[in-house]
Amino acid sequence: MAYWLLKSEPDVFGWEHLLARPKQSEPWDGVRNYQARNFLRDAMRDGDEAFFYHSNCAQPGIVGLCRIVGEAQVDPTAFDPDSKYHDPKSDPENPRWYLRTVQAQRTLARTITLAELKERAEALEGLQLIRRGNRLSVMPIEADHWAYILGLE
DNA sequence: GCCAACGTTGGC
DNA sequence: GCCAACGTTGGC
């Protein structure tokens, strides 16, 4: 069992959107960064758990817990000219982008903010989220960091 | 392969 | 809205 953090802009697709979906699950498409893609495609496993993180908003932070459901699949939005995630250089014969389905597990009792995670930088050493200039939208979380962060709730 | 220019991310 | 940091592109 591995742990992850998934970033999402609440104005685009936030935690409330996920909760409103049938079975509270959604294909996590549109990832267009190779490092994030590699995590999605190669490292994640069915049943892994993930923090759902709100970025680019008034109060960035972790708002919920979700689960990775099933195996990696080719991201069909890459081949859709009408999609904002369309990638004309991605060849269906040799797909470049993948997705995973995520399912909401529970809403956190409160938002664990980026600000307080930064305050705990000593205990969370190595956490990519609080590294300078971090922009990864899919990142691994060490098991002890996972437990520590949940303990802040 | 280098690197400048450009576009994007995301906190503040 | 600003801007630092980063990834990608493309000329050479």
Side-chain angles (χ1 to χ4, degrees):
Chain A
M1 164 81 78
Y3 301 99
W4 305 93
L5 181 142
L6 301 173
K7 279 186 193 171
S8 183
E9 298 188 30
D11 292 345
V12 179
F13 187 88
W15 182 247
E16 303 305 322
H17 296 98
L18 184 60
L19 292 181
R21 286 290 196 257
K23 296 195 232 170
Q24 291 79 53
S25 71
E26 179 77 1
W28 203 257
D29 58 17
V31 171
R32 295 294 179 266
N33 169 284
Y34 287 102
Q35 202 179 347
R37 189 279 312 269
N38 291 344
F39 288 138
L40 270 184
R41 186 189 61 182
D42 307 330
M44 278 183 178
R45 295 289 175 262
D46 182 21
D48 282 355
E49 291 188 88
F51 289 133
F52 194 105
Y53 176 89
H54 278 167
S55 68
N56 206 7
C57 58
Q59 192 184 49
I62 298 164
V63 295
L65 301 185
C66 52
R67 191 180 286 285
I68 308 303
V69 179
E71 304 304 320
Q73 295 176 276
V74 171
D75 182 349
T77 63
F79 312 121
D80 177 2
D82 296 327
S83 170
K84 63 178 169 174
Y85 303 124
H86 181 227
D87 178 5
K89 287 188 262 184
S90 184
D91 174 7
E93 298 300 313
N94 184 20
R96 184 180 291 194
W97 306 116
Y98 287 76
L99 60 78
R100 291 273 180 169
T101 297
V102 300
Q103 181 171 41
Q105 276 193 282
R106 70 176 180 88
T107 306
L108 291 191
R110 64 182 193 86
T111 299
I112 300 172
T113 65
L114 177 64
E116 64 187 298
L117 293 176
K118 285 181 169 173
E119 287 170 10
R120 314 276 185 150
E122 203 163 326
L124 294 172
E125 191 179 356
L127 183 70
Q128 294 194 40
L129 186 71
I130 57 175
R131 279 201 202 139
R132 196 171 57 108
N134 157 70
R135 290 168 48 178
L136 259 189
S137 63
V138 177
M139 69 182 73
I141 303 288
E142 295 170 26
D144 58 339
H145 288 167
W146 176 273
Y148 180 86
I149 292 168
L150 272 183
L152 299 174
E153 182 187 11

